[in-house]
């Protein structure tokens, strides 16, 4: 587990979202009661998790996706690039497919080969074979799509960008 501090811009956004959600949740609880407000509470927690992963996941008009910074994504790249240079084989899991797409853009910019497995992936076996055979050093996997029937013995490193979170 790696603890990562958000930069000032990301911290300010987190605090703004937290404050807005807290006020909203308090109002909803006052109107509906705690039991009937649980879905709203879970939604608020989800939004805070998204800010921590990358501000652009919120898809807010006030967040310029091209300029948004994520301390977590920077840390991931600071770890992954030297690992790939060492010859490591890395699995990167995320609950958010949109986060995997952001990681994908950064890997492409760094010239790092990868395959990905998401719910919409049609050629699952080809992606697995490319990773297992060493054609690419990184495998991006959505937690939902990767949860069944995978045997990725070539991997020596596993990164959970955002660990699975089950509100139940």
């Amino acid at each position: 587990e790696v603890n990562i501090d958000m930069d000032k811009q990301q911290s300010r956004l987190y605090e703004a979202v937290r404050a807005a959600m807290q006020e909203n949740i308090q109002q909803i609880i006052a109107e509906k009661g705690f039991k009937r407000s649980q879905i709203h509470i879970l939604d608020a927690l989800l939004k805070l998790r998204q800010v921590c992963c990358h501000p652009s996941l919120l898809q807010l008009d006030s967040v310029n996706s091209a300029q948004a910074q994520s301390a977590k994504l920077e840390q991931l790249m600071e770890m992954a690039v030297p690992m790939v240079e060492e010859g490591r084989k890395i699995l990167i899991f995320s609950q958010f497919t949109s986060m995997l797409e952001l990681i994908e853009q950064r890997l492409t910019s760094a010239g790092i080969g990868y395959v990905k497995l998401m719910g919409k992936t049609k050629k699952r076996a080809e992606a697995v074979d490319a990773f297992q055979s060493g054609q690419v050093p990184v495998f991006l996997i959505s937690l939902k799509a990767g949860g069944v029937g995978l045997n990725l013995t070539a991997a020596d490193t596993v990164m959970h960008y955002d660990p699975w979170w089950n509100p139940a």
Side-chain angles (χ1 to χ4, degrees):
E1 185 173 310
V2 176
N3 290 322
I4 302 163
D5 292 327
M6 292 181 272
D7 66 19
K8 286 182 184 179
Q9 181 181 5
Q10 192 174 4
S11 290
R12 279 194 301 268
L13 177 62
Y14 182 91
E15 182 54 30
V17 170
R18 188 206 58 76
M21 291 291 144
Q22 182 177 3
E23 186 176 317
N24 186 33
I25 293 298
Q26 287 173 339
Q27 182 179 356
I28 291 169
I29 290 173
E31 292 171 8
K32 296 182 177 183
F34 181 75
K35 265 202 173 298
R36 294 180 58 212
S37 304
Q38 290 179 353
I39 194 74
H40 299 284
I41 295 167
L42 294 174
D43 182 58
L45 291 171
L46 173 67
K47 285 178 174 45
L48 292 173
R49 289 185 72 233
Q50 289 174 319
V51 173
C52 290
C53 287
H54 198 287
S56 67
L57 295 184
L58 285 179
Q59 299 178 346
L60 296 173
D61 292 337
S62 61
V63 176
N64 181 337
S65 294
Q67 294 179 343
Q69 295 293 313
S70 165
K72 203 173 199 181
L73 182 55
E74 294 306 316
Q75 180 67 41
L76 175 100
M77 292 306 294
E78 286 176 22
M79 294 169 66
V81 170
M83 287 180 181
V84 168
E85 290 171 355
E86 293 171 5
R88 308 278 294 271
K89 302 278 288 175
I90 306 169
L91 304 177
I92 301 175
F93 288 92
S94 177
Q95 181 176 354
F96 305 111
T97 56
S98 51
M99 188 65 235
L100 290 174
E101 291 167 0
L102 292 169
I103 295 169
E104 182 179 1
Q105 292 169 9
R106 292 295 300 276
L107 292 173
T108 299
S109 295
I112 296 173
Y114 63 89
V115 289
K116 63 183 175 179
L117 179 62
M118 296 191 244
K120 61 185 175 186
T121 302
K122 300 285 185 227
K123 299 179 180 179
R124 183 179 173 114
E126 287 180 21
V128 170
D129 290 343
F131 182 76
Q132 287 291 98
S133 68
Q135 295 172 40
V136 295
V138 176
F139 202 145
L140 303 175
I141 308 171
S142 80
L143 284 168
K144 280 186 180 178
V148 180
L150 282 180
N151 189 11
L152 301 169
T153 56
D156 57 34
T157 304
V158 176
M159 295 180 173
H160 288 271
Y161 191 85
D162 50 285
W164 178 256
W165 181 68
N166 182 346

